[in-house]
Amino acid sequence: MNNFEDLQNKWQNQSEVSATEDGFQSLLKSVKSIEQKQRTGNIVLTLTIIILVSFLIYVSGYKSATFMLGIGLMIGSLVLRIAIELFSLKRLRSINFSKDANTFTKDLTTYYSFRKYTHYIITPLALIVYTVGFIILLPSFKASLSNGFYIYIICSAVVFLTVFSVFIYRQATKELTKLKQLQMQEGV
């Protein structure tokens, strides 16, 4: 029983500076985590672009307008998504952590509002454009690949798009939850 009372006294007597500093450290870790996730996402998207460009070079003899349109849409949607993420990282890094709490919270809320726009509008459009590009390529694949490999490509694409969509949904949900918490702190 004595240990509980000691803990309770320590908790009640802790200074506000200590609590604020702990909150700031927690927030800083959260921001660093978001930054790392965005970098990781960009690496994955860049690798996908490299694979698509390598595929384009590999099949360089097959340059029909339909094929070029499909592969162009896929690569273009990924490049757009990377550009948005790089812009987002730049905005995140421009937030001044030494400002007063209200200004900092407003800046962070603005950042998360931009992320909300990114998650609800830009990301779904990029995913749709990527999928349309892939669908445009399907007739070329069917004509030049064995039936078994063609079915494998379709199945793996469905699995990839499903996993990718779930990943994006989870990340968006986490970020939007933080936005709501910041808005509640701000009293918006």
Side-chain angles (χ1 to χ4, degrees), residues 119-135:
H119 288 308
Y120 282 138
I121 297 172
I122 295 172
T123 300
L125 284 175
L127 196 58
I128 289 168
V129 169
Y130 184 89
T131 304
V132 167
F134 179 76
I135 291 170

Side-chain angles (χ1 to χ4, degrees), residues 38 41-49 75-89 126:
Q38 286 179 336
N42 280 347
I43 289 169
V44 169
L45 293 175
T46 302
L47 289 173
T48 306
I49 289 173
I75 292 171
S77 68
L78 294 175
V79 168
L80 175 67
R81 186 73 171 103
I82 289 172
I84 295 292
E85 287 301 318
L86 290 175
F87 178 74
S88 181
L89 275 170

Side-chain angles (χ1 to χ4, degrees), residues 9-158:
N9 285 334
K10 285 180 184 179
W11 182 79
Q12 288 175 344
N13 292 329
Q14 72 181 357
S15 69
E16 280 187 35
V17 173
S18 169
T20 304
E21 189 173 312
D22 289 344
F24 178 75
Q25 290 299 327
S26 173
L27 186 59
L28 189 58
K29 282 183 183 177
S30 176
V31 168
K32 292 291 183 189
S33 171
I34 290 168
E35 193 174 341
Q36 182 60 39
K37 286 179 183 175
Q38 286 179 336
R39 269 194 241 130
T40 302
N42 280 347
I43 289 169
V44 169
L45 293 175
T46 302
L47 289 173
T48 306
I49 289 173
I50 290 169
I51 290 168
L52 288 172
V53 169
S54 299
F55 178 72
L56 178 62
I57 292 168
Y58 177 73
V59 296
S60 61
Y62 191 73
K63 289 189 177 181
S64 74
T66 306
F67 177 81
M68 295 304 285
L69 175 64
I71 200 92
L73 287 173
M74 292 172 74
I75 292 171
S77 68
L78 294 175
V79 168
L80 175 67
R81 186 73 171 103
I82 289 172
I84 295 292
E85 287 301 318
L86 290 175
F87 178 74
S88 181
L89 275 170
K90 183 179 176 185
R91 285 186 78 167
L92 181 63
R93 290 180 185 147
S94 72
I95 295 174
N96 189 348
F97 287 86
S98 62
K99 290 182 180 177
D100 64 280
N102 287 336
T103 305
F104 175 75
T105 302
K106 285 181 183 176
D107 289 348
L108 206 54
T109 301
T110 301
Y111 168 77
Y112 280 120
S113 296
F114 171 74
R115 294 298 293 166
K116 189 176 182 179
Y117 173 78
T118 300
H119 288 308
Y120 282 138
I121 297 172
I122 295 172
T123 300
L125 284 175
L127 196 58
I128 289 168
V129 169
Y130 184 89
T131 304
V132 167
F134 179 76
I135 291 170
I136 289 172
L137 291 177
L138 287 178
S140 299
F141 290 156
K142 186 166 180 92
S144 62
L145 300 172
S146 70
N147 193 38
F149 194 63
Y150 176 72
I151 291 172
Y152 168 76
I153 286 176
I154 291 175
C155 292
S156 62
V158 169

